Amino acid sequence: MILLDPPLWPRHGRLWSHLVSDSSLAELHAFAARTGIPERAFDLDHYDVPDRMHDELVAAGAVPVDSRELIRRLRASGLRVPARDRRA
């Protein structure tokens, strides 16, 4: 399942959401490609997507969840990359 948290994260003068899969990166990449999210938006275990895309991604099948649920499901999937393993 593709999950999307609310656009709460400020960066570059706008708010951002996180798009994840709770089962596989292949599913996540396929959804991103199908919805026009550029590869450069991928950050190890999620895509950063601008607030303007939120409704479009939900209409395409992403399930809106709060940020805590998104992280809980991402960790449970085994796909979460811990902060210590992220690039500087």
Side-chain angles (χ1 to χ4, degrees), residues 9 11-12 20 24 29 38 48 58 61 69 74:
W9 311 101
R11 188 92 170 160
H12 307 295
V20 306
S24 77
H29 293 312
D48 293 317
V58 171
E69 178 68 8
L74 185 59

Side-chain angles (χ1 to χ4, degrees), residues 39-78:
E39 290 179 18
R40 72 179 178 274
F42 183 66
D43 186 14
L44 301 178
D45 58 9
H46 70 277
Y47 281 87
D48 293 317
V49 293
D51 52 1
R52 66 176 170 73
M53 291 188 75
H54 193 273
D55 292 342
E56 174 187 339
L57 296 173
V58 171
V63 176
V65 295
D66 65 39
S67 297
R68 287 183 180 166
E69 178 68 8
L70 182 135
I71 291 297
R72 186 187 71 72
R73 303 263 300 267
L74 185 59
R75 284 180 180 148
S77 74

